[in-house]
Amino acid sequence: MKRMDPDRLLPVEPNVRSLARALYEPIADLPIISPHGHCDPRWFAQNDRFPDPAQLFVVPDHYVFRMLVSQGVPMDDLGIPYADGTLPDVDPRAIWQRFAANFHLFRGTPSAMWLDHSFEHVFGITERLKAENADAIYDHIDAKLAQEAFRPRALFEQFNIEVLATTESALDDLKWHKHINESGWSGRVVTTYRPDSVVDPDFEGFAQNLVTFGELTGEDTSTWSGYLNAHRQRRAFFKAHGATASDHGHPTARTEDFPAAEAAALFEKIRTGAHTADEADAFRGQMLTEMARMSLDDGLVLQIHPGSMRNHSATVFASHGRDKGFDIPSHTQYVKALKPMLDAVGMEPALTIILFTLDETSYSRELAPLAGVYPALRLGPPWWFHDSYEGIKRFREMTTETCGFYNTVGFNDDTRAFCSIPARHDVARRSDCAYLANLVATGRLGLADAHEVAYDLTYRLAKQAYRL
């Protein structure tokens, strides 16, 4: 017996629900385009079985473990790796038991829907997870993971993923991508250039990272020109391994466009550590404009993920490192912040800059008006905390009237939790069809047009925007 409602997330009013269902059914099984995310390419290179249910559903998913931590469950008890990469000595079955005993904490959250979808559609589990059945469900999933049909490549194909992008540091050797490309497997997994470790002066080990950057490229990264050339080399290296985009996670959306001599002088301060906090932010802003210019040359799409105060807990950052659920949204200003970059390249139709936000208050006031006029700009989908039914609904309501559908880029899942990918895309498809059905029902969009838009939001726009 299936547990999930087949009409979940569709409008309640019967006529509008029928419209939404009619829009959803043709696009429900379209291939998944996953142009931005954080899955580990090693999974697909080695194609080893996932170790156990806890390593599949709990340990890599900060949406999951942050909720448990918020209720007092220690990170060590959840098997979360330490900053140096070592793992706590904890039985995976014990992790699963804690997860199951606290599963009620996810009621009403997007995580609950993603997990339910994964349990039912991937593993055939229709029982609600709880402490009493935790061992039985653990054993069921573990037995499935031992089968060839549940290896990473087989699941990739089962999920109907057409292309999946991972995200690697500018210093990564991309050996796992090379292994995938040479393996003969037909699955398409591409990398994304993420240069924060050599762009953000506040990134741990920044000074040594610059040295390593020079060693990797043979460029003199103690000079401004050599540093920029090193980026060009690494971007070309990433493109050779399938990259179609770069990604930049900055505290603010600030951009700058200093004259060359002023930029070189700023870089010297940054390189030697003689900078202020404002100069560090200015340098990050200058590098966004430099990356945009490089994108004009090499065609990489530029993604900007600003406005997260990363690693908010100094204690957790010291013990467990980055990306442990403590990235917290902050107010983000775009109109003035992006102006230097947009003055330089905003009118270039050959350039694609995809803007994301964690600050929903900026949708209608800043982001939609900007994307609705600058040829280079597109709006990324709701991200982190907002990639939910309500988040997607708010995004569409606050942006469509100003920038339409075609200055947006469809959906991306931005996840480390592999089995949640089809669930997340299904939520986006249902949410968009619910919105479109209301437009049709209120006479703002024809039904034939709504079918085209549903297809575009699900499939075409992401392929087009990310040049896939």
Side-chain angles (χ1 to χ4, degrees), residues 247-323:
D247 184 44
H248 309 266
H250 291 188
T252 72
R254 179 177 181 175
T255 65
E256 297 290 355
D257 188 22
F258 299 128
E262 191 174 341
L266 175 60
F267 175 69
E268 180 62 17
K269 285 186 173 183
I270 297 296
R271 185 185 70 81
T272 58
H275 57 274
T276 64
D278 182 69
E279 287 169 332
D281 201 40
F283 181 73
R284 288 186 290 262
Q286 178 68 25
M287 287 308 300
L288 283 178
T289 304
E290 298 292 347
M291 290 287 143
R293 287 197 175 98
M294 289 183 196
S295 288
L296 276 172
D297 294 333
D298 63 24
L300 290 184
V301 173
L302 177 69
Q303 299 176 98
I304 306 177
H305 282 85
S308 175
M309 184 173 183
R310 300 195 180 259
N311 313 305
H312 190 275
S313 169
T315 301
V316 170
F317 181 55
S319 62
H320 289 83
R322 291 178 167 267
D323 303 319

Side-chain angles (χ1 to χ4, degrees), residues 427-439:
V427 167
R429 294 173 188 195
R430 290 172 180 273
S431 301
D432 282 337
C433 287
Y435 177 74
L436 292 170
N438 277 296
L439 293 187

Side-chain angles (χ1 to χ4, degrees), residues 59-386:
V59 177
D61 192 347
H62 53 200
Y63 280 85
V64 169
F65 67 69
R66 75 189 307 273
M67 178 64 81
L68 303 177
V69 169
S70 78
Q71 290 286 309
V73 180
M75 296 184 90
D76 284 3
D77 288 356
L78 297 171
I80 309 306
Y82 296 119
D84 63 3
T86 59
L87 297 173
D89 184 16
V90 56
D91 183 349
R93 191 177 291 270
I95 297 172
W96 188 261
Q97 184 66 43
R98 291 184 183 92
F99 173 49
N102 288 282
F103 197 70
H104 64 281
L105 299 176
F106 298 99
R107 289 171 179 163
T109 69
S111 293
M113 185 164 288
W114 299 333
L115 289 163
D116 284 344
H117 188 285
S118 300
F119 291 158
E120 182 173 314
H121 291 271
V122 181
F123 293 98
I125 298 165
T126 56
E127 273 188 272
R128 177 70 60 187
L129 180 64
K130 52 190 175 182
E132 291 78 9
N133 63 11
D135 281 337
I137 289 179
Y138 183 99
D139 290 337
H140 175 88
I141 296 174
D142 199 47
K144 293 283 190 183
L145 294 178
Q147 300 174 20
E148 287 294 324
F150 290 82
R151 296 283 180 108
R153 292 184 181 184
L155 288 176
F156 185 103
E157 293 161 5
Q158 177 188 322
F159 295 165
N160 197 21
I161 298 174
E162 183 172 314
V163 59
L164 182 145
T166 67
T167 306
E168 277 72 50
S169 159
L171 304 179
D172 197 287
D173 62 10
L174 301 185
K175 67 178 181 180
W176 300 121
H177 282 277
K178 184 173 186 291
H179 188 102
I180 293 168
N181 293 339
E182 294 175 351
S183 70
W185 178 50
S186 60
R188 187 178 179 193
V189 179
V190 301
T191 186
T192 301
Y193 185 63
R194 180 80 175 230
D196 296 1
S197 62
V198 290
V199 164
D200 182 359
D202 295 329
F203 202 99
E204 59 272 20
F206 178 76
Q208 180 55 48
N209 291 344
L210 289 185
V211 174
T212 304
F213 198 40
E215 293 169 350
L216 279 173
T217 58
E219 295 288 346
D220 183 0
T221 52
S222 68
T223 69
W224 177 234
S225 61
Y227 171 72
L228 294 180
N229 283 337
H231 278 288
R232 294 186 183 98
Q233 277 204 40
R234 293 302 285 171
R235 289 167 65 99
F237 178 73
F238 272 64
K239 280 193 70 176
H241 287 78
T244 68
S246 66
D247 184 44
H248 309 266
H250 291 188
T252 72
R254 179 177 181 175
T255 65
E256 297 290 355
D257 188 22
F258 299 128
E262 191 174 341
L266 175 60
F267 175 69
E268 180 62 17
K269 285 186 173 183
I270 297 296
R271 185 185 70 81
T272 58
H275 57 274
T276 64
D278 182 69
E279 287 169 332
D281 201 40
F283 181 73
R284 288 186 290 262
Q286 178 68 25
M287 287 308 300
L288 283 178
T289 304
E290 298 292 347
M291 290 287 143
R293 287 197 175 98
M294 289 183 196
S295 288
L296 276 172
D297 294 333
D298 63 24
L300 290 184
V301 173
L302 177 69
Q303 299 176 98
I304 306 177
H305 282 85
S308 175
M309 184 173 183
R310 300 195 180 259
N311 313 305
H312 190 275
S313 169
T315 301
V316 170
F317 181 55
S319 62
H320 289 83
R322 291 178 167 267
D323 303 319
K324 296 301 182 290
F326 282 82
D327 296 350
I328 308 298
S330 59
H331 172 74
T332 307
Q333 198 276 342
Y334 292 88
V335 174
K336 293 180 180 178
L338 294 175
K339 191 175 186 336
M341 179 181 69
L342 294 177
D343 282 344
V345 297
M347 297 304 293
E348 296 283 352
L351 175 64
T352 299
I353 301 170
I354 300 177
L355 299 176
F356 293 82
T357 192
L358 289 172
D359 181 2
E360 291 185 310
T361 67
S362 66
Y363 282 156
S364 60
R365 184 185 65 248
E366 301 184 63
L367 289 174
L370 285 167
V373 69
Y374 279 99
L377 289 186
R378 296 291 182 268
L379 297 190
W383 162 51
W384 187 215
F385 298 112
H386 307 307

Side-chain angles (χ1 to χ4, degrees), residues 7-83:
D7 285 332
R8 60 193 178 277
L9 305 182
L10 302 187
V12 174
E13 201 281 319
N15 291 335
V16 186
R17 172 166 284 195
S18 295
L19 283 171
R21 191 187 299 123
L23 291 169
Y24 170 74
E25 287 173 353
I27 56 96
D29 296 321
L30 285 175
I32 289 174
I33 306 298
S34 180
H36 173 71
H38 301 277
C39 288
D40 189 342
R42 181 187 305 216
W43 297 339
F44 310 105
Q46 296 183 321
N47 201 34
D48 292 334
R49 65 158 282 171
F50 289 103
D52 56 68
Q55 287 289 334
L56 184 60
F57 282 107
V58 181
V59 177
D61 192 347
H62 53 200
Y63 280 85
V64 169
F65 67 69
R66 75 189 307 273
M67 178 64 81
L68 303 177
V69 169
S70 78
Q71 290 286 309
V73 180
M75 296 184 90
D76 284 3
D77 288 356
L78 297 171
I80 309 306
Y82 296 119

